[in-house]
Amino acid sequence: MIQEIGQAYDNHYVACEAAGADYVLHYRERGCLVHVTSHGGADAWAEGNAFDLPRVRDLDERPSRLVYAFAIGGARFFLALDDEVAAPAGFAYEAVNWLRYAEPAELLFAVVTGSQLDRWYRDNRFCSRCGHPTELGPRSREIVCPECAKIVYPKICPGVICAVTRRDADGEKIVLTRYNGRTTALWALVAGFTEIGEPLEDTVRREVMEEVGLHVKNLRFYKSQPWSFTDTLLVGFWCEVDGDPTITVDHSELKEARWFGRDEIPLERTGDRVSLTGEMIEQFRLHGVPE
């Protein structure tokens, strides 16, 4: 998955100045400033895309608002909160989604995680309570209103990924869905955001019922995953259909949904090393429902 980068990720906030060797993350119109070193293809899921990030020393003019973000494997990453940054030769803004399967893995994780922080900083430049311009906290990752003393911390939206399964005379089966209105409508698992006052287990039951009209039982936690594309912490569950397995599709959200046997699973996610959904679908295709 996207967070499995083989290097230590340290998100402890440190108030410090950027040095020449530190990486710079700058975002504009859902794109990140990068140098693409290898093109695998135009598709967001194409293999072979490789890129690099600018370092402070690469920039002709140092950004005026560099904020420490995190460290990966000892390398430090800073967010440039300036509206504009002069791009060095060879660098351009590429859509974060286009970089989704690019290498190296640690820089991809940095770009995606940094984009979530960047949105948080930019969305809170004014106080939501009194409208006064905010300031950055001096010693921790917080945004402070100097007028009314309101403090804002990064927000994370919990959501679930639900692998709904059953076993019949033909073997194990799983529900796969495809969303409406997506340019790349890959087969996926039932998923959704947790509502206020709702335990994660109830989110699973509600989302499965809303999207495909099924009751479920025997919920089992699988894994969690930070999914900064949507500011989400995803929690994966395996569960079993309870009662009638007839699917009723919510066409306002889904294009289609149906049961698949292990030998019927589409192979479009065999190279998906990024998402929890992809890992769970491949787990089922190769090994069935985990014990």
Side-chain angles (χ1 to χ4, degrees):
M1 294 188 287
I2 195 168
Q3 74 272 22
E4 296 170 343
I5 56 178
Q7 298 187 39
Y9 167 62
D10 183 359
N11 63 1
H12 176 68
Y13 179 79
V14 180
C16 58
E17 291 292 323
D22 293 329
Y23 286 107
V24 176
L25 296 164
H26 187 256
Y27 300 88
R28 190 177 66 190
E29 299 175 354
R30 296 187 177 273
C32 183
L33 184 62
V34 302
H35 172 49
V36 177
T37 58
S38 176
H39 280 277
D43 192 277
W45 286 269
E47 296 183 359
N49 294 325
F51 73 102
D52 198 4
L53 290 170
R55 298 177 187 262
V56 173
R57 63 186 177 220
D58 296 326
L59 303 177
D60 294 333
E61 183 176 340
R62 184 186 178 97
S64 61
R65 302 186 69 204
L66 282 174
V67 178
Y68 177 76
F70 42 74
I72 298 177
R76 302 195 308 176
F77 294 78
F78 283 75
L79 282 171
L81 297 181
D82 305 52
D83 289 336
E84 298 292 336
V85 168
F91 286 80
Y93 289 89
E94 297 289 349
V96 174
N97 244 357
W98 182 82
L99 295 166
R100 184 166 168 173
Y101 288 102
E103 296 284 355
E106 67 273 13
L107 293 189
L108 170 62
F109 181 68
V111 165
V112 176
T113 306
S115 71
Q116 182 175 359
L117 277 176
D118 183 75
R119 284 191 298 275
W120 175 71
Y121 279 119
R122 294 180 186 277
D123 288 349
N124 289 279
R125 290 183 291 182
F126 296 91
C127 179
S128 62
R129 178 186 291 161
C130 70
H132 195 277
T134 56
E135 298 175 355
L136 304 186
R139 292 180 297 275
S140 63
R141 198 182 309 282
E142 61 187 36
I143 292 174
V144 181
C145 176
E147 182 69 18
C148 71
K150 178 180 173 63
I151 300 176
V152 181
Y153 298 98
K155 299 296 191 296
I156 299 171
C157 304
V160 297
I161 298 289
C162 319
V164 183
T165 66
R166 68 182 173 98
R167 181 185 292 273
D168 59 22
D170 297 324
E172 294 180 318
K173 290 185 170 59
I174 192 170
V175 174
L176 298 185
T177 70
R178 290 206 289 183
Y179 284 100
N180 271 327
R182 300 284 179 90
T183 54
T184 306
L186 299 180
W187 286 100
L189 300 176
V190 173
F193 290 104
T194 299
E195 299 291 348
I196 292 174
E198 184 177 60
L200 292 170
E201 293 83 356
D202 284 351
T203 305
V204 172
R205 298 182 183 99
R206 176 181 54 78
E207 286 291 343
V208 173
M209 174 54 67
E210 288 178 356
E211 292 192 5
V212 293
L214 299 174
H215 293 282
V216 293
K217 62 182 179 179
N218 298 336
L219 279 63
R220 289 176 294 149
F221 168 75
Y222 175 63
K223 285 183 181 179
S224 62
Q225 176 182 38
W227 194 246
S228 294
F229 294 99
T230 54
D231 303 338
T232 310
L233 176 63
L234 292 173
V235 183
F237 286 90
W238 293 88
C239 55
E240 300 171 19
V241 68
D242 185 11
D244 187 354
T246 303
I247 291 175
T248 303
V249 179
D250 174 12
H251 286 290
S252 67
E253 186 166 356
L254 301 179
K255 180 180 180 181
E256 57 185 319
R258 66 183 181 91
W259 290 100
F260 286 82
R262 287 177 58 189
D263 59 351
E264 300 173 316
I265 299 292
L267 301 181
E268 60 191 10
R269 287 194 181 268
T270 55
D272 185 349
R273 53 181 172 72
V274 172
S275 72
L276 179 60
T277 289
E279 179 173 306
M280 293 175 74
I281 292 174
E282 275 295 278
Q283 160 72 36
F284 180 82
R285 185 179 73 86
L286 296 174
H287 308 292
V289 178
E291 298 296 331

